[in-house]
Amino acid sequence: MIEYCTGCFSLMPPAYVCVLVTLLDTRTAPGELKWAASPSEGGWEEVSIMDEKNIPIRTYQVCNVLEPSQNNWLRTDWIPRSGAQRVYVEVKFTLRDCNSLPGVTGTCKETFNLYYHESNDDKESYIKESSFIKVDTVAADESFTQVDVGDRIMKLNTEVRDVKVTTRKGFYLAFQDVGACIALVSVRVFYKTCPLTVRNLATFPDTVTGADTSSLVEVRGSCVNQSEERDEPKMYCGADGEWLVPIGGCLCISGYEEKSGACKVCPVGFYKAKSSDPGCAKCPPHSYALKEGTAVCECHAGFYRADSDPPAMACTQPPSAPQQLISVVNKTSVVLEWSPPRRLGGRSDTSYNVEYSGSQLCLPCDSDVIFSPRQTRLMTTRVVVSELRAHTHYTFIVQARNGVSQVSGTGAAQSVSVTVTTNQAAPSPVTFVQATDVTRHSLSLAWQQPDRPNGVILEYEVKFYEKDQKERSYRIMRTFSQSVDVAGLSPLTVYVFHVRARTAAGYGEFSAPFEFSTNSDPFPLIGEGVNSAFLLLSISGLGILLLISAAVFIITRRRSKYSKTKQDSEEEKHLNPGVKIYIDPFTYEDPDQAIHEFAKEIDVNSIHIERVIGMGEFGEVCSGRLRLQGKREIYVAIKSLKAGYSDKQRRDFLAEASIMGQFDHPNIIRLEGVVTRCKPLMIITEYMENGSLDAFLRKHDGQFTVIQLVGMLRGIASGMKYLSDMSYVHRDLAARNILVNSNLVCKVSDFGLSRVLEDDPTTEATGTYLSPGGKIPIRWTAPEAIAYRKFSTASDVWSYGIVMWEVVSYGERPYWDMNNQDVIKAIEEGYRLPAPMDCPVVLHQLMLDCWEKERAERPTFSQILNMLDKLIRNPGTLRRTGGDRPSAAILETDLGTDVCVSVIPEVCLQEWSVCEWLQSIGMERYRDTLAAAGYTSLDICIHRELDRLGIITPSHQDILLARVQQEMFSQMEHMQHTMVPV
Ligand code: ACK
């Protein structure tokens, strides 16, 4: 039989409720049950009765209250577990109150015991009592409804117990009576499953919950038809049968869109190109889809789509021809200008190509024609063509193109052309001249023909002069060839040479100057190339040297300026009165200087080590006593640095003390001093009797009032506010790094991870630090700190939210046994930890605020502290929880509703009352006593007392208020243990 339970998980839509699968229900069993009873006579007896709806049901009864030493066993038939790992046993029973039975003595009991025995054998005839494992002793409780049994009114109790059954195919249940008057009205055994469901287009199968109350079963979803994976779809089946933390999912493939959790085909005329597109869309203009499930619409005839066009873009056409092409010739250059085409074809990517042909084609120099800005893919409607041949006919064709010209295959059709004739022009300058056979009085000069002779060269002219003379007196030589011997020169003199060519159109321009020196030696030297190369090298070498020196100079100046700025800002911090800023010990060159500035050296003889209490990162942690001269002996914790440490380990070990030594706050672990002058090195701190908070809470699961938990959180928030005021970023705030003393005062500890990256001026102003690397505690760390190591007070606030969750859930592991990768994904997708069991709504809201994605939107520690103080003053606000225990929700119909609210006395409904506070910690019996002393409001009484004592500074009042509250909690706890009968 399958049944749905409700209210399992507040963050989930109703479709995610769990399913109960019944394995046994005596109410629906046909005929007699015939369970094995021992003794077979005089113990449990099967009796048929009519239930409240007058339907016959099978019950078992026993009532040997007058006889001593009863040991009556009743064993069910074998129950197959059908894959379940944790089963629930719901027993409805009536139990006679011993006082209502006349004449009974001390033999009468009001409880029975529930046992189970796992077995593969479905027909075990005899099972030893010792083979059964006890589940619980079951007593009648207050959750009853009244039923008529014949002429009597009986109280019907309902109790549910859960049992882990993982080792065999099935199990037997047994009920042991030891002298009570009981009737087992019904027994129902069931297990929970997370029902088959579709989430993010992935199907998750019906899944049996895990074996433990906190275990999550990781389930991989499979994409629904016509969909594909976007990111591996995953969900977790929680112990109570709800689906938790959906991550990843699927997307409908192209041609399909999501509708009601399935992928539906795109209709005719519609398309969807990519799975990531939101849905089917109408075909864009000039396109069509004749079939269902179209990914890309087809273009109408004469319209095209370029490869790079997105499917959502309309189909387009190539442009028509450019218009009004005009040309202006200037010697051997032509300027071409035109207007854009009349039709652009529906696109905006028109460009132009220019082609040309000349009347004397095939000369190699044609490749030297220059197009400015370029010849193809012109985005302008103007181009200058230069370096053409003189006196030549050219035809220029300007083509308009766009993105679909290529696919349409109609490129040539959209062009316009013009034919021009270039003018006659003189030859271009000679560009290369060299000297050979250099002597004291002569040299041979040779050159190459100009790049553009622009006709037949008739003659060359060489002009030269002594460099020192400038052009005041020069000589000219003319020749038909491309070389000339120059004689009559002075020895060891630099000469400047220019060469030009002449055609029928006249002389071209002279070449640039070429310098050559005559020799001191009668023998020729190698030409100018070597000398100028050497000169070039020398000059550039000198230049590089100069550049390097300049750069070194600038960098040195910058460096010294930067460190000066840094120093200045450090000094500024110190000069700023009232704001004490934490100083990173790693900024000290010598770590010993930092340690002696911030920590007191303790004489090792004043320490008395008593026992090892744990293992720290660097070695053992011990507890012991410290007696300093003139002071009373105190208990201390002693961390030591194990032998064989490296320099870095020593520095890191002492860094924690240098950090801790700068703090002085009741919620920060206090440093007593260090031992550095003898081995092993030690750090001495105050002793915290209850050790770390996470282990402490797990040990005392469910034992504190909400106010006590909030008191602890207040302490942590106060410590963190102090740290953030000092611009210190903790980076590893977690319950394991909070220590608890005997008064339940929580103190922040472990200052090992936190470090500022040196020399990063960009991060200083914002108080955000880049992590120097290393491990990051993923579950506690804000997403921006994980993604790009942006640690800040705001990321500490995120971690604080996780600590809140750990505290309220009594040390549960955040995100249970999900792996780190899934945690990161789930957070990225917007999921946040649900409220722990019985968590006040306001506290969960505060956690969610700390887990805002945008770090600027998270509260500050100061705001958190104010909020917690308000809650402590108004405990009534802590009463509303998001939902009861899921198991209680299953029994909702039997339990009735919100019992707690209905029993609050009228007088307690007034806000800010002491009465309400007492109510919330289960101490309402002292209401009258405190009221008689005039204490009607917590806020009033604490502040009144502080004012009376002359303590009026708000921050001091805050610290004392926290102390007073902690003190009150421990007093109340003490009263609870000593005065309240259990
Ligand atoms: O959970 P614990 O008992 O608390 O085990 C760890 C262990 O040492 C390694 O860190 C305990 N511890 C550390 N500092 C202190 C302290 N000041 N007082 C008491 N216990 C401490 C911590």
Side-chain angles (χ1 to χ4, degrees):
M1 192 199 124
I2 284 180
E3 173 182 331
Y4 293 94
C5 46
T6 53
C8 286
F9 192 64
S10 55
L11 289 187
M12 288 288 165
Y16 292 81
V17 294
C18 59
V19 169
L20 307 184
V21 182
T22 301
L23 297 171
L24 165 75
D25 190 350
T26 57
R27 281 182 179 257
T28 54
E32 288 183 18
L33 295 169
K34 291 193 177 147
W35 287 350
S38 162
S40 51
E41 301 273 318
W44 290 96
E45 270 177 36
E46 186 167 354
V47 179
S48 272
I49 63 164
M50 294 296 177
D51 73 359
E52 61 278 13
K53 291 179 192 141
N54 242 3
I55 297 168
I57 53 168
R58 315 297 306 169
T59 70
Y60 276 94
Q61 301 185 1
V62 64
C63 193
N64 300 344
V65 288
L66 294 175
E67 293 139 55
S69 312
Q70 290 297 306
N71 184 24
N72 304 310
W73 284 74
L74 174 67
R75 195 234 302 165
T76 65
D77 292 338
W78 186 75
I79 305 167
R81 73 178 170 98
S82 307
Q85 306 200 67
R86 175 161 291 271
V87 295
Y88 297 78
V89 182
E90 181 201 72
V91 186
K92 293 196 180 208
F93 62 98
T94 61
L95 194 113
R96 288 290 297 268
D97 179 353
C98 288
N99 292 334
S100 72
L101 295 164
V104 294
T105 56
T107 54
C108 175
K109 300 284 183 311
E110 291 181 349
T111 60
F112 66 88
N113 297 322
L114 177 65
Y115 288 85
Y116 77 106
H117 165 71
E118 291 191 67
S119 171
N120 285 333
D121 183 351
D122 59 352
K123 295 246 169 356
E124 277 195 71
S125 53
Y126 174 71
I127 306 170
K128 281 195 297 206
E129 277 177 25
S130 59
S131 306
F132 279 98
I133 300 167
K134 184 165 171 178
V135 178
D136 203 0
T137 296
V138 183
D141 65 9
E142 295 158 1
S143 58
F144 52 77
T145 50
Q146 295 189 328
V147 290
D148 287 317
V149 180
D151 53 352
R152 279 200 322 265
I153 290 179
M154 291 286 285
K155 293 167 180 177
L156 181 64
N157 293 277
T158 304
E159 291 290 330
V160 178
R161 297 292 181 270
D162 49 338
V163 186
K164 180 174 169 178
V165 281
T166 50
T167 60
R168 301 281 190 279
K169 285 190 198 145
F171 57 93
Y172 294 89
L173 292 176
F175 303 86
Q176 182 198 25
D177 163 55
V178 288
C181 194
I182 324 164
L184 294 181
V185 176
S186 74
V187 177
R188 188 163 74 107
V189 181
F190 58 88
Y191 64 90
K192 296 179 184 178
T193 66
C194 296
L196 176 130
T197 191
V198 174
R199 172 83 183 195
N200 295 340
L201 289 177
T203 308
F204 293 86
D206 208 359
T207 304
V208 176
T209 57
D212 296 309
T213 46
S214 66
S215 66
L216 299 179
V217 181
E218 184 182 315
V219 183
R220 206 185 169 291
S222 42
C223 291
V224 300
N225 282 345
Q226 310 298 353
S227 72
E228 64 188 23
E229 231 173 77
R230 160 175 57 99
D231 221 346
E232 187 185 25
K234 244 197 249 177
M235 276 215 278
Y236 290 87
C237 177
D240 286 299
E242 328 93 19
W243 287 109
L244 299 173
V245 203
I247 47 181
C250 307
L251 294 169
C252 292
I253 57 170
S254 52
Y256 288 81
E257 65 182 340
E258 178 175 359
K259 268 193 186 145
S260 330
C263 291
K264 297 278 156 52
V265 69
C266 291
V268 169
F270 285 75
Y271 77 102
K272 193 182 110 175
K274 287 199 288 306
S275 54
S276 54
D277 290 346
C280 302
K282 223 165 171 294
C283 284
H286 311 298
S287 69
Y288 61 92
L290 295 180
K291 284 192 296 195
E292 288 184 330
T294 296
V296 181
C297 301
E298 303 254 346
C299 289
H300 288 144
F303 286 84
Y304 310 91
R305 188 172 273 136
D307 290 344
S308 57
D309 286 353
M313 187 172 147
C315 291
T316 54
Q317 292 177 304
S320 56
Q323 305 178 85
Q324 296 145 17
L325 174 62
I326 53 166
S327 62
V328 178
V329 177
N330 178 12
K331 293 188 186 165
T332 53
S333 300
V334 178
V335 178
L336 299 173
E337 267 184 289
W338 59 92
S339 300
R342 204 158 46 78
R343 283 192 330 269
L344 296 178
R347 306 181 64 93
S348 55
D349 57 351
T350 311
S351 67
Y352 305 95
N353 288 354
V354 182
E355 285 174 8
Y356 72 100
S357 53
S359 54
Q360 308 164 6
L361 288 186
C362 306
L363 291 172
C365 53
D366 270 351
S367 58
D368 294 339
V369 174
I370 294 170
F371 286 81
S372 175
R374 68 177 80 86
Q375 187 178 1
T376 57
R377 301 201 172 278
L378 270 168
M379 303 312 287
T380 55
T381 54
R382 181 177 192 273
V383 67
V384 180
V385 192
S386 49
E387 308 286 328
L388 293 164
R389 286 166 184 281
H391 210 52
T392 307
H393 301 301
Y394 282 95
T395 301
F396 292 95
I397 303 160
V398 181
Q399 262 178 19
R401 301 185 63 82
N402 66 15
V404 293
S405 295
Q406 181 101 26
V407 277
S408 67
T410 52
Q414 300 97 33
S415 58
V416 60
S417 65
V418 64
T419 299
V420 298
T421 306
T422 52
N423 300 333
Q424 241 187 7
S428 64
V430 168
T431 53
F432 181 74
V433 179
Q434 77 178 87
T436 53
D437 305 332
V438 180
T439 68
R440 283 160 60 85
H441 298 289
S442 67
L443 52 76
S444 295
L445 207 63
W447 55 88
Q448 281 181 358
Q449 182 182 288
D451 294 342
R452 341 213 100 257
N454 291 333
V456 178
I457 292 181
L458 304 174
E459 178 185 62
Y460 288 99
E461 188 176 86
V462 178
K463 176 169 97 173
F464 64 98
Y465 46 87
E466 285 181 25
K467 189 175 178 185
D468 290 347
Q469 297 291 313
K470 305 266 166 51
E471 277 189 74
R472 279 192 294 270
S473 73
Y474 56 82
R475 284 161 62 190
I476 295 273
M477 295 178 76
R478 293 203 178 88
T479 174
F480 298 113
S481 69
Q482 282 172 237
S483 63
V484 71
D485 293 331
V486 186
L489 303 175
S490 309
L492 255 184
T493 307
V494 177
Y495 285 87
V496 178
F497 295 85
H498 298 271
V499 181
R500 66 178 177 177
R502 183 171 69 84
T503 61
Y507 277 111
E509 280 187 25
F510 270 119
S511 68
F514 287 82
E515 293 181 12
F516 305 106
S517 172
T518 47
N519 241 330
S520 58
D521 204 292
F523 302 105
L525 269 181
I526 301 167
E528 105 302 338
V530 173
N531 291 338
S532 58
F534 173 75
L535 193 69
L536 192 73
L537 271 181
S538 320
I539 291 172
S540 52
L542 186 69
I544 288 167
L545 261 179
L546 275 174
L547 270 178
I548 291 172
S549 331
V552 167
F553 177 67
I554 291 167
I555 290 167
T556 334
R557 286 293 299 267
R558 281 234 178 121
R559 278 249 170 105
S560 57
K561 182 166 170 258
Y562 171 62
S563 34
K564 173 88 170 58
T565 320
K566 191 160 182 267
Q567 240 176 28
D568 288 350
S569 71
E570 294 289 357
E571 274 162 22
E572 253 169 44
K573 283 178 186 171
H574 289 296
L575 291 172
N576 193 354
V579 186
K580 200 174 157 213
I581 299 283
Y582 145 83
I583 300 165
D584 177 25
F586 286 90
T587 55
Y588 283 72
E589 236 171 70
D590 174 8
D592 283 343
Q593 193 191 337
I595 192 79
H596 290 119
E597 193 155 320
F598 300 121
K600 193 166 61 186
E601 180 73 29
I602 289 182
D603 177 4
V604 76
N605 295 317
S606 52
I607 304 164
H608 177 77
I609 297 180
E610 285 178 344
R611 64 191 175 89
V612 178
I613 53 174
M615 260 325 272
E617 197 190 330
F618 296 96
E620 285 172 345
V621 183
C622 300
S623 66
R625 282 171 285 136
L626 171 72
R627 183 191 286 278
L628 290 176
Q629 241 186 356
K631 289 199 176 163
R632 71 184 170 87
E633 190 173 63
I634 55 166
Y635 280 100
V636 286
I638 304 140
K639 285 190 183 180
S640 52
L641 178 61
K642 58 177 177 270
Y645 52 81
S646 65
D647 262 6
K648 183 177 178 317
Q649 282 171 322
R650 178 180 191 274
R651 221 174 323 124
D652 290 351
F653 177 74
L654 291 180
E656 184 175 12
S658 301
I659 295 170
M660 222 189 300
Q662 299 181 47
F663 304 140
D664 177 17
H665 187 272
N667 297 103
I668 305 291
I669 196 82
R670 192 180 64 252
L671 177 75
E672 296 296 344
V674 290
V675 175
T676 62
R677 303 230 163 95
C678 58
K679 303 250 170 81
L681 301 193
M682 296 180 208
I683 297 176
I684 321 293
T685 64
E686 64 179 308
Y687 181 61
M688 302 291 283
E689 295 81 351
N690 281 314
S692 44
L693 178 61
D694 60 334
F696 174 67
L697 287 170
R698 282 196 281 271
K699 198 164 131 202
H700 297 279
D701 191 2
Q703 293 177 12
F704 299 112
T705 62
V706 177
I707 285 284
Q708 281 176 308
L709 297 179
V710 175
M712 295 177 198
L713 290 174
R714 192 213 179 269
I716 303 166
S718 177
M720 288 308 297
K721 175 181 178 305
Y722 173 83
L723 292 181
S724 66
D725 287 347
M726 288 207 35
S727 304
Y728 178 80
V729 179
H730 191 288
R731 307 199 319 161
D732 194 14
L733 179 60
R736 64 179 171 277
N737 290 331
I738 304 292
L739 291 166
V740 188
N741 73 9
S742 56
N743 286 332
L744 290 196
V745 177
C746 290
K747 306 199 180 196
V748 181
S749 80
D750 200 333
F751 300 96
L753 237 186
S754 344
R755 225 170 306 139
V756 186
L757 192 73
E758 283 172 276
D759 278 7
D760 190 348
T762 54
T763 56
E764 264 177 21
T766 51
T768 54
Y769 305 121
L770 293 171
S771 151
K775 285 187 185 163
I776 291 180
I778 297 293
R779 281 149 217 275
W780 282 264
T781 304
E784 74 277 5
I786 295 174
Y788 45 100
R789 306 203 155 177
K790 205 79 182 155
F791 286 93
S792 61
T793 291
S795 65
D796 276 354
V797 166
W798 178 291
S799 312
Y800 179 80
I802 303 288
V803 172
M804 287 183 74
W805 191 89
E806 289 182 278
V807 168
V808 183
S809 61
Y810 283 92
E812 178 65 275
R813 179 170 164 76
Y815 311 97
W816 308 278
D817 43 10
M818 281 170 70
N819 65 40
N820 280 349
Q821 230 30 54
D822 285 353
V823 170
I824 293 172
K825 259 198 224 162
I827 293 298
E828 185 51 39
E829 291 186 15
Y831 286 91
R832 297 292 183 266
L833 282 166
M837 199 162 64
D838 298 334
C839 173
V841 170
V842 277
L843 285 188
H844 188 231
Q845 187 50 53
L846 185 54
M847 295 177 203
L848 294 174
D849 291 345
C850 294
W851 303 327
E852 276 290 344
K853 188 179 170 60
E854 287 303 323
R855 63 203 166 101
E857 279 164 31
R858 294 174 205 153
T860 60
F861 280 114
S862 173
Q863 288 166 329
I864 293 173
L865 195 59
N866 283 339
M867 176 75 177
L868 294 176
D869 281 341
K870 261 195 200 149
L871 297 181
I872 292 169
R873 286 192 223 114
N874 292 289
T877 47
L878 291 165
R879 219 171 34 226
R880 199 164 74 81
T881 60
D884 285 319
R885 288 164 186 257
S887 53
I890 299 166
L891 304 173
E892 205 169 56
T893 47
D894 294 334
L895 276 172
T897 51
D898 208 347
V899 179
C900 319
V901 174
S902 64
V903 297
I904 296 173
E906 254 317 285
V907 59
C908 286
L909 294 174
Q910 162 199 347
E911 254 204 345
W912 298 57
S913 75
V914 168
C915 175
E916 219 175 11
W917 177 62
L918 289 173
Q919 168 85 38
S920 66
I921 57 171
M923 293 273 112
E924 61 271 37
R925 72 200 67 201
Y926 299 109
R927 176 166 48 103
D928 294 344
T929 322
L930 291 179
Y935 291 113
T936 52
S937 150
L938 249 196
D939 190 50
I940 292 171
C941 71
I942 295 176
H943 282 284
R944 197 204 285 157
E945 279 305 300
L946 294 176
D947 289 345
R948 197 174 61 75
L949 294 169
I951 303 165
I952 49 168
T953 317
S955 61
H956 294 175
Q957 282 206 349
D958 274 353
I959 294 171
L960 287 167
L961 187 66
R963 279 281 167 95
V964 169
Q965 280 162 357
Q966 297 289 3
E967 194 53 36
M968 284 169 95
F969 299 145
S970 51
Q971 292 295 327
M972 285 299 175
E973 204 192 18
H974 181 66
M975 278 152 73
Q976 230 163 359
H977 288 139
T978 53
M979 299 170 70
V980 184
V982 183

